[in-house]
Amino acid sequence: MSTILTTENLSLYYGKKQALKGVNMSFDEKGITALIGPSGCGKSTFLRCLNRMNDLIPNVTITGEVNFNQSNIYAPTMDTVKLRKEIGMVFQQPNPFPFSIYENVVYGLRLAGVRDKEQLDAAVEKSLKQAAIWDEVKDRLHVNALSLSGGQQQRVCIARVLAVEPDIILLDEATSALDPISSHTIEMTLLNLRHDYTIITVTHNMQQASRISDRTAFFLNGELIEVNDTKQIFMNPVKQETNDYISGRFG
Amino acid sequence: MRRLFDDELNDIDANFTEMGMMVSATIEKAVKAFIDHDRELAQEIIDNDAKINEREVELEQKSFEMIALYQPVTSDLREIVTILKAVSELERMADYARNIAHATIRVKGHVRVPEIEAQLSEMGNRVRKMVEEMLAAYVKSDDAAARAVAAKDAKVGEMFDKINEKGISKMERHPETVIGSTDYLNVASYLMRIGALVTNVGEWIVYLNTGNIIELNPESSNLV
């Protein structure tokens, strides 16, 4: 398997407060990596660094490198719009745009200048199928996406990310606002997508991490404490802090 | 951070150790009753076996409950799994002690062989001591101690061979001892099996500490 993304000595400061402390991590193509850790440990901050979402926050300083397919995404020549197409993100709260399901899914393609109706139709069907929501919405593609349930909205958001054919999908607690059944549907969706995409997910739900991820990384106080196969992390972690956190001794 | 889980784990841990002591005492009594031809004590052991079985079921139920309610991981999970597996080993040890008690009741009135009885007494003491030492290793979560206790099982095998040899030669030369000696051989084999079960408990202590499932005495693992 080849490496698709690496971070080298990645640090981030909110003003003077250091939120990430020299994180070195690498991600192979395909599969799911879960980032876990208590609130404020830096896992979401780390995730947001991977497609430069932190650029939007004032007073943030980032040092170190994030190399996507061997090029540093923080290089001045990097086109962030293109970057976020290749490294898409799904957020905690489903955030469909206030227009139709169809228009939500093709949004990124229209932005990229695709006009061909057949091409757009095909992308909508493919993406909604991949996001496991096609059967539920195929007869009402032109209703407002906001009329869907939370779980359905989230899957439309996943379809919206998939439509632009990214290499990497980042999920920031994408199921924590959903009920268990919707969460389960999203988990099943991710388990199918993991064969074709590199998925990195931040979750507070430890059982979810153990159920769906191939690898788990534990963060604490801005540091990457341990990363390993999920089975190893949940059965026999190397570091005491990892053991204490995932068995609920703190956090 | 104090967890409810820890309190319950302490309880189940204490219950397991208590059951282990019950089993150890039963083995001691079983050997003693056999040597002393004490049928009353033997009957007591047989009657008491149901209590040990109940203990096992209680510990199993509690373990299942804790797995369902707390979804333990890492060392927490290993502790529960260790108790769940080791409790069956303890229960089987008690079954062998009960078998010895049955032999005690049968052997009454048969021609005795004091020499073999002395050897059985020695073997019984050794096995009971192994049970106690293994429980101590469990209480301290000491896998080095568990390995050391398991290593003592080889000697138990040798003792079994000697009793076996002597019993058979006795039967050849003195046919009147055949019925009694057959029970001697049975008792020796029960004790040997208890020794192998002690080794199994040791393997779970190693698992508890390291997460590795190993065989401590591969050559004797086919005994039980």
Side-chain angles (χ1 to χ4, degrees):
Chain A
M1 246 193 282
S2 63
T3 303
I4 185 166
L5 187 74
T6 59
T7 71
E8 278 168 36
N9 201 20
L10 183 67
S11 292
L12 180 142
Y13 301 79
Y14 292 115
K16 284 191 178 149
K17 191 190 176 305
Q18 188 170 8
L20 279 181
K21 297 171 185 166
V23 176
N24 293 300
M25 205 172 160
S26 87
F27 298 88
D28 287 336
E29 268 184 309
K30 321 274 192 264
I32 302 178
T33 303
L35 311 180
I36 61 169
S39 297
C41 71
K43 57 190 188 303
S44 286
T45 299
F46 177 77
L47 188 81
R48 285 154 183 275
C49 283
L50 302 181
N51 73 343
R52 293 186 57 171
M53 293 302 281
N54 290 321
D55 288 15
L56 310 171
I57 302 168
N59 215 11
V60 159
T61 315
I62 295 164
T63 62
E65 286 184 9
V66 177
N67 294 305
F68 170 54
N69 286 333
Q70 273 94 48
S71 55
N72 184 6
I73 66 167
Y74 284 94
T77 50
M78 179 58 66
D79 172 356
T80 53
V81 174
K82 186 165 165 280
L83 173 72
R84 289 178 194 142
K85 221 167 72 181
E86 286 162 342
I87 306 180
M89 187 176 259
V90 180
F91 299 87
Q92 178 173 3
Q93 287 298 333
N95 56 353
F97 302 129
F99 21 82
S100 72
I101 296 168
Y102 186 98
E103 285 305 322
N104 263 279
V105 178
V106 299
Y107 188 82
L109 294 172
R110 286 207 200 280
L111 213 60
V114 179
R115 298 258 164 83
D116 181 50
K117 174 112 180 19
E118 262 175 47
Q119 196 187 338
L120 293 175
D121 286 353
V124 167
E125 181 169 344
K126 185 179 173 212
S127 314
L128 289 171
K129 277 182 174 164
Q130 280 182 309
I133 192 175
W134 172 252
D135 289 336
E136 289 163 58
V137 300
K138 63 174 187 251
D139 300 322
R140 46 182 175 139
L141 292 174
H142 296 285
V143 307
N144 193 313
L146 291 172
S147 69
L148 299 173
S149 74
Q152 289 172 326
Q153 288 183 15
Q154 195 65 309
R155 277 178 286 149
V156 167
C157 292
I158 292 175
R160 188 173 64 194
V161 169
L162 294 173
V164 294
E165 301 188 325
D167 292 321
I168 301 176
I169 305 170
L170 309 176
L171 298 110
D172 193 358
E173 294 187 48
T175 64
S176 57
L178 306 179
D179 68 277
I181 294 171
S182 301
S183 296
H184 174 75
T185 313
I186 303 258
E187 283 181 20
M188 297 315 285
T189 308
L190 296 178
L191 284 172
N192 283 325
L193 295 174
R194 65 181 275 278
H195 302 295
D196 301 310
Y197 298 89
T198 305
I199 299 170
I200 306 169
T201 175
V202 162
T203 178
H204 272 132
N205 182 338
M206 223 85 75
Q207 266 84 42
Q208 179 174 78
S210 66
R211 272 195 301 266
I212 68 168
S213 71
D214 303 289
R215 264 195 339 156
T216 298
F218 172 58
F219 283 76
L220 186 64
N221 300 327
E223 285 176 72
L224 172 64
I225 302 294
E226 185 171 356
V227 55
N228 210 331
D229 287 348
T230 295
K231 273 186 199 148
Q232 189 68 33
I233 292 283
F234 280 86
M235 292 176 70
N236 210 359
V238 174
K239 298 281 171 61
Q240 187 62 40
E241 296 102 305
T242 315
N243 191 46
D244 287 350
Y245 178 70
I246 65 174
S247 53
R249 287 186 178 86
F250 71 87
Chain B
M1 193 158 80
R2 208 174 104 96
R3 303 173 307 167
L4 212 54
F5 181 83
D6 291 322
D7 295 342
E8 298 208 16
L9 196 60
N10 285 342
D11 280 354
I12 191 175
D13 212 40
N15 284 337
F16 174 81
T17 310
E18 208 175 282
M19 175 176 168
M21 315 239 266
M22 273 168 84
V23 170
S24 166
T26 304
I27 295 167
E28 183 177 13
K29 279 187 201 165
V31 175
K32 187 170 183 301
F34 185 79
I35 304 300
D36 297 347
H37 304 264
D38 186 342
R39 295 177 70 167
E40 234 169 82
L41 185 57
Q43 190 57 48
E44 189 190 312
I45 290 163
I46 293 164
D47 296 341
N48 204 41
D49 190 50
K51 278 189 200 152
I52 292 180
N53 294 350
E54 274 168 33
R55 280 281 178 137
E56 184 202 13
V57 173
E58 278 169 23
L59 279 162
E60 283 172 343
Q61 278 172 342
K62 189 69 203 168
S63 305
F64 298 149
E65 192 185 299
M66 288 178 73
I67 291 171
L69 298 184
Y70 296 100
Q71 290 132 34
V73 291
T74 66
S75 52
D76 293 337
L77 180 63
R78 292 204 299 273
E79 285 216 39
I80 305 259
V81 168
T82 298
I83 287 174
L84 206 45
K85 297 293 285 190
V87 77
S88 308
E89 314 286 3
L90 288 183
E91 191 273 334
R92 287 178 68 196
M93 289 181 205
D95 284 346
Y96 286 122
R98 186 202 54 203
N99 290 354
I100 295 173
H102 278 299
T104 305
I105 289 170
R106 277 198 305 271
V107 87
K108 186 86 176 176
H110 298 312
V111 179
R112 297 163 62 171
V113 185
E115 252 179 293
I116 298 183
E117 289 191 354
Q119 283 178 324
L120 276 175
S121 171
E122 196 191 332
M123 184 178 177
N125 282 331
R126 185 173 181 91
V127 168
R128 183 192 48 80
K129 213 165 152 234
M130 281 173 62
V131 176
E132 280 171 12
E133 288 170 354
M134 197 57 95
L135 282 172
Y138 170 80
V139 170
K140 286 183 275 181
S141 293
D142 183 345
D143 60 297
R147 284 170 192 274
V149 178
K152 294 182 178 177
D153 199 37
K155 176 80 177 156
V156 173
E158 284 167 25
M159 289 169 130
F160 171 80
D161 290 341
K162 272 191 195 154
I163 292 169
N164 202 25
E165 211 173 284
K166 188 157 282 172
I168 287 167
S169 85
K170 219 32 172 203
M171 287 190 252
E172 283 168 349
R173 285 179 287 126
H174 305 279
E176 73 277 11
T177 65
V178 163
I179 298 176
S181 291
T182 307
D183 265 327
Y184 289 151
L185 300 191
N186 283 337
V187 170
S189 77
Y190 299 147
L191 290 173
M192 185 172 64
R193 291 194 158 85
I194 292 174
L197 291 167
V198 172
T199 304
N200 291 357
V201 174
E203 288 165 1
W204 290 110
I205 296 171
V206 172
Y207 168 77
L208 174 65
N209 281 10
T210 65
N212 298 324
I213 296 176
I214 56 149
E215 276 198 38
L216 286 175
N217 295 328
E219 66 289 345
S220 68
S221 61
N222 53 354
L223 288 178
V224 283

